[in-house]
Amino acid sequence: GAPSRSGRGVRRMTGAGTDIPLFPLGTVLFPGGLLPLKIFEQRYLEMAKSCLRASTPFGVCLIREGSEVGAPATHEDLGCLARITHWDMQQLGLLQLVAQGGERFRVRATRIRNDGLILADIEILAAEADTPIPEKFHACRQLLERIVAEHGERLFAKPFQLDSSAWVAARLAEVLPLPTAARQKLLELDDSRKRLEIIQRLLVESAASPDRSGQS
């Protein structure tokens, strides 16, 4: 197929942004996370083209009510910016792209364009303080090390920062089988150690209780 193109010269966002296009999805994007998307709806094809042209991000928010296609969905107010890193159109009208999570933001106001695209005024949230992983969260780090060894770049963007509390917490929040609402709550936390604490507790609980669905 056609080679993927990489986004270069990407502009960083400062403390606020206006008219940022929003893509409400049934998934939660974390800073540094990879988001593969297949886009076929006209409003989102136009959005992606304009983001590529101007090297600007779009915002990803979890859907609260509604669906990814059709009428504009209602969405959570706290989301994550996404920057397109690769794109490919092997089939007319179907854009495949990979975006990477940037800064978290809070939606201040929205308006809906005639084609149904949501444009938002947003406030960029300060990056959370990062620290090396405390010893008590060793189980979280070990689990992620195993996932990275097995899946590596299929799931995660390099560099793999296995000693970073923020990186490990975000990657585990993405890949563990959590309810979407729980992922959203983890995204909303401003403290990566707190995020690790909750994830480790969930890991301990799931190890202690037998899985009733019969899947391991």
Side-chain angles (χ1 to χ4, degrees), residues 121-188:
D121 292 351
I122 64 169
E123 173 198 355
I124 306 282
L125 302 179
E128 55 203 62
D130 195 7
T131 58
I133 290 195
E135 186 57 41
K136 64 178 176 174
F137 300 130
H138 190 60
C140 288
R141 179 184 171 149
Q142 268 188 320
L143 174 62
L144 190 60
E145 276 172 353
R146 289 210 302 273
I147 297 169
V148 165
E150 196 173 327
H151 301 285
E153 289 179 71
R154 276 220 316 274
L155 286 182
F156 309 121
K158 283 185 153 178
F160 304 147
Q161 300 167 52
L162 286 156
D163 194 37
S164 149
S165 291
W167 196 84
V168 169
R171 301 299 72 83
L172 284 174
E174 287 165 358
V175 298
L176 291 176
L178 303 172
T180 321
R183 270 192 241 281
Q184 177 67 23
K185 289 275 182 288
L186 288 170
L187 178 70
E188 291 174 5

Side-chain angles (χ1 to χ4, degrees), residues 27-203:
T27 187
V28 178
L29 179 64
F30 285 82
L34 291 180
L35 179 68
L37 288 170
K38 286 184 180 174
I39 296 179
F40 53 87
E41 268 200 287
Q42 198 55 41
R43 57 183 158 169
Y44 295 127
L45 287 170
E46 294 300 325
M47 176 197 82
K49 279 186 214 160
S50 101
C51 288
L52 282 164
R53 264 199 308 270
S55 294
T56 50
F58 59 93
V60 172
C61 290
L62 176 66
I63 290 174
R64 208 182 284 159
E65 277 171 32
S67 75
E68 294 178 3
V69 294
T74 58
H75 53 79
E76 298 289 349
D77 288 334
L78 194 139
C80 186
L81 288 175
R83 293 179 173 81
I84 300 170
T85 56
H86 296 89
W87 65 272
D88 204 348
M89 191 182 266
Q90 296 181 7
Q91 191 183 331
L92 197 61
L94 179 68
L95 178 65
Q96 292 184 285
L97 58 85
V98 178
Q100 186 169 7
E103 300 88 341
R104 294 179 313 141
F105 65 84
R106 191 178 299 285
V107 174
R108 288 289 172 218
T110 58
R111 65 186 180 86
I112 298 175
R113 228 167 51 179
N114 292 343
D115 62 0
L117 186 72
I118 303 169
L119 297 173
D121 292 351
I122 64 169
E123 173 198 355
I124 306 282
L125 302 179
E128 55 203 62
D130 195 7
T131 58
I133 290 195
E135 186 57 41
K136 64 178 176 174
F137 300 130
H138 190 60
C140 288
R141 179 184 171 149
Q142 268 188 320
L143 174 62
L144 190 60
E145 276 172 353
R146 289 210 302 273
I147 297 169
V148 165
E150 196 173 327
H151 301 285
E153 289 179 71
R154 276 220 316 274
L155 286 182
F156 309 121
K158 283 185 153 178
F160 304 147
Q161 300 167 52
L162 286 156
D163 194 37
S164 149
S165 291
W167 196 84
V168 169
R171 301 299 72 83
L172 284 174
E174 287 165 358
V175 298
L176 291 176
L178 303 172
T180 321
R183 270 192 241 281
Q184 177 67 23
K185 289 275 182 288
L186 288 170
L187 178 70
E188 291 174 5
L189 289 173
D190 290 324
D191 180 344
S192 51
R193 286 192 185 205
K194 185 85 187 131
R195 208 176 276 149
L196 276 175
E197 213 163 276
I198 292 168
I199 288 169
Q200 182 139 306
R201 197 169 69 229
L202 292 169
L203 288 175

